[in-house]
Amino acid sequence: TAAEEAIQIYRRLAKPNPAAFEADLALALDNLGTRLSGLGRWEKALTATEEAAQIRRRLTAANPAAHAHRLAEALNNLGNPLSALGRWEEALAAAEEAVQIRRRLAAANPTYYEPALATELHNLGGKLRDMGRREESLAAAEEAVQIRRRLAAVNLAVYEPDLASGLNDLGLSLSGMGRREEALSTAEEA
């Protein structure tokens, strides 16, 4: 495929000059992993996303300001094939690390990074819910909705769809805990 050809080219370019091309290689691997996940080719997706996350981790260690946000994205993408392959604990660890990174970034620049933090919390909540960890799932969903409410209050046109998605997720968490009236109210708001 074109994506695999791009990866081959970036590998060749990165060998003599990693500083110039490793980030591009990681992006190409991440994109391939996402496409393969979309096709349900989980093993191949896992191989690509694992390598992307390894590269991003190395780049972040050398220059956190330039690469930490991309590491969080790579970890999020890594969690999808891990979950699909039943590797729940590893998927959860990736999601938790992504949230930690986004929290640090959002603390320094909330305007830019809070939307991504809300997304990472949303993803974390889903993984926790899938693992039967209802209380933790609810906490993540509630925090995601709080952030999304703040964002929607500032720019409803941009953030209202994310708020609706977050409310839906919160409703699922509430329902899973037997809090049906609250779940219904949240679903109606969504």
Side-chain angles (χ1 to χ4, degrees):
T1 68
E4 290 166 329
E5 184 178 357
I7 289 168
Q8 289 175 353
I9 292 168
Y10 283 129
R11 279 191 204 288
R12 193 173 62 248
L13 293 169
K15 202 168 259 187
N17 194 355
F21 294 105
E22 267 196 325
D24 294 322
L25 174 58
L27 180 61
L29 285 161
D30 224 0
N31 288 339
L32 176 62
T34 300
R35 288 185 193 121
L36 290 166
S37 289
L39 295 170
R41 294 170 60 190
W42 301 112
E43 290 289 343
K44 288 187 176 195
L46 179 59
T47 299
T49 55
E50 279 180 325
E51 185 178 354
Q54 288 170 358
I55 294 168
R56 294 287 187 199
R57 193 175 300 287
R58 200 169 48 248
L59 293 170
T60 300
N63 187 347
H67 297 285
H69 68 289
R70 295 288 187 194
L71 174 57
E73 290 171 5
L75 290 165
N76 179 56
N77 293 337
L78 174 60
N80 295 328
L82 286 169
S83 291
L85 292 168
R87 293 168 61 177
W88 299 108
E89 292 298 329
E90 292 170 88
L92 180 60
E96 288 174 333
E97 185 179 355
V99 167
Q100 290 171 358
I101 292 166
R102 295 293 190 191
R103 277 192 201 288
R104 284 194 305 271
L105 294 170
N109 187 346
T111 302
Y112 189 76
Y113 289 111
E114 273 198 333
L117 173 58
T119 298
E120 299 297 350
L121 286 162
H122 178 95
N123 294 337
L124 175 61
K127 286 181 179 36
L128 288 163
R129 189 175 51 252
D130 291 344
M131 294 175 72
R133 293 168 65 174
R134 292 185 178 110
E135 302 251 345
E136 293 167 276
S137 172
L138 178 61
E142 287 174 334
E143 185 178 355
V145 166
Q146 288 172 352
I147 293 168
R148 287 175 167 170
R149 280 191 198 285
R150 275 197 317 271
L151 294 169
V154 173
N155 190 337
L156 189 62
V158 170
Y159 295 111
E160 190 173 37
D162 291 337
L163 176 57
S165 175
L167 287 165
N168 185 56
D169 191 55
L170 177 58
L172 291 172
S173 292
L174 289 165
S175 181
M177 294 181 70
R179 294 165 61 179
R180 307 241 186 272
E181 287 300 318
E182 291 171 270
L184 176 61
S185 172
T186 302
E188 289 172 343
E189 184 181 355

